[in-house]
Amino acid sequence: MHHASDLVLPASAWPWPRPVGPPQGTRHLTQEELGLASRRELLAMGYTDSRLIRSVRSGRLRRVARGWYGNAVAVPRARRALRHGYRLTCIDAAELHGVWTPYRDEEERHALHVYRPNGSTAAPGRMLTHSSRGRSWPEPDAVASLPLALEHAMRCQSGERAAILLESAMNRRLMAPAEVQRLLDVAPASVRSRIGALSTASDSGSETRVVRWLRRRGFQVEQQVFVDGAGYVDLYVGGVLMEIDGRDGHSGPDAFAKDRRRTCARAGTDCRSCG
């Protein structure tokens, strides 16, 4: 694994520490986040079977599948998988967990990644099945936990796409580097070879792509380099500083615009000319 760079330019400069925020999520999505709950969860919350029946009749809850209920805002993809006896996983689950996900066209987004016990492949159309490698559900969740989703994604997605998901999980402090390493350790050698080295310093999926492209071509890449008077810059390659402006690694348009303004300030240009 590649770790964050210690490089500081010029060498005499004193770097400010990068702020480390709290974790941005959890490994398991809650019923509040999904709008879905199992009968067992609802009974533990104080519901009774008669109350469940009344809630369904009144429209407050809907029966999604046997033993599963959803409210009016239940996540459609997760609800669709449950309705057919599956659970959402791989890149679809990872996206719900909040990690960076590579671009997928409309056709790809409609093909849900799902799993069920026994690794059944008789899924309805537009569902891509993943083996659960067991005869029982490995988790009670309606959507695969982040580690399970990433385990499936490592075997299913291209090396670059899997790297983007894994580096995002570390960047957003959803998983520690050691935990990601454990996923790699138990993966087949062919999977590890396809993914290659991972960086703990990438700030966006775009940065992951650029760094991998450069390193494959033999460039030595330093990430998150501190430049006196400018702060941290994404990349330092062959004497050139690079700032990777990509919307996939930003929390919204304002954050993306701020990154663009910072790039323009370093270049000494008027940000309005960027459009």
Side-chain angles (χ1 to χ4, degrees), residues 133-198:
R133 296 188 295 177
R135 297 186 60 83
S136 60
W137 292 107
E139 298 176 341
D141 305 20
V143 172
S145 67
L146 185 56
L148 181 59
L150 292 176
E151 178 186 326
H152 287 160
M154 287 165 59
R155 290 165 170 78
C156 169
Q157 301 294 307
S158 69
E160 182 171 276
R161 285 187 167 196
I164 289 173
L165 298 173
L166 292 167
E167 290 190 6
S168 174
M170 292 186 288
N171 172 273
R172 300 201 166 180
R173 303 187 68 210
L174 295 168
M175 293 184 69
E179 294 171 311
V180 171
Q181 185 64 58
R182 281 196 288 273
L183 288 179
L184 292 168
D185 289 341
V186 299
S190 59
V191 171
R192 295 197 303 272
S193 176
R194 187 172 72 246
I195 295 173
L198 296 175

Side-chain angles (χ1 to χ4, degrees), residues 48-158:
T48 61
D49 284 326
S50 59
R51 183 183 173 189
L52 283 174
I53 293 172
R54 290 196 303 271
S55 296
V56 170
R57 286 176 178 171
S58 68
R60 290 185 58 203
L61 291 177
R62 301 174 187 174
R63 281 194 182 91
V64 175
R66 183 177 180 181
W68 285 93
Y69 297 83
N71 58 25
V73 295
V75 175
R77 283 178 288 171
R79 186 178 61 209
R80 178 180 153 204
L82 280 174
R83 189 167 64 244
H84 292 285
Y86 292 83
R87 309 286 171 92
L88 209 61
T89 189
C90 193
I91 194 169
D92 288 295
E95 185 173 33
L96 293 178
H97 280 281
V99 303
W100 313 318
T101 51
Y103 171 77
R104 292 184 289 165
D105 60 28
E106 200 65 25
E107 183 175 348
E108 286 182 294
R109 292 189 63 82
H110 276 90
L112 296 185
H113 292 259
V114 297
Y115 77 98
R116 73 182 305 175
N118 301 320
S120 171
T121 57
R126 294 193 142 185
M127 285 193 181
L128 305 174
T129 57
H130 293 255
S131 172
S132 66
R133 296 188 295 177
R135 297 186 60 83
S136 60
W137 292 107
E139 298 176 341
D141 305 20
V143 172
S145 67
L146 185 56
L148 181 59
L150 292 176
E151 178 186 326
H152 287 160
M154 287 165 59
R155 290 165 170 78
C156 169
Q157 301 294 307
S158 69

Side-chain angles (χ1 to χ4, degrees), residues 216-231:
R216 281 199 305 267
R217 284 153 181 79
F219 289 96
Q220 182 176 349
V221 183
E222 299 279 356
Q223 290 183 261
Q224 307 310 322
V225 175
F226 185 83
V227 178
D228 195 24

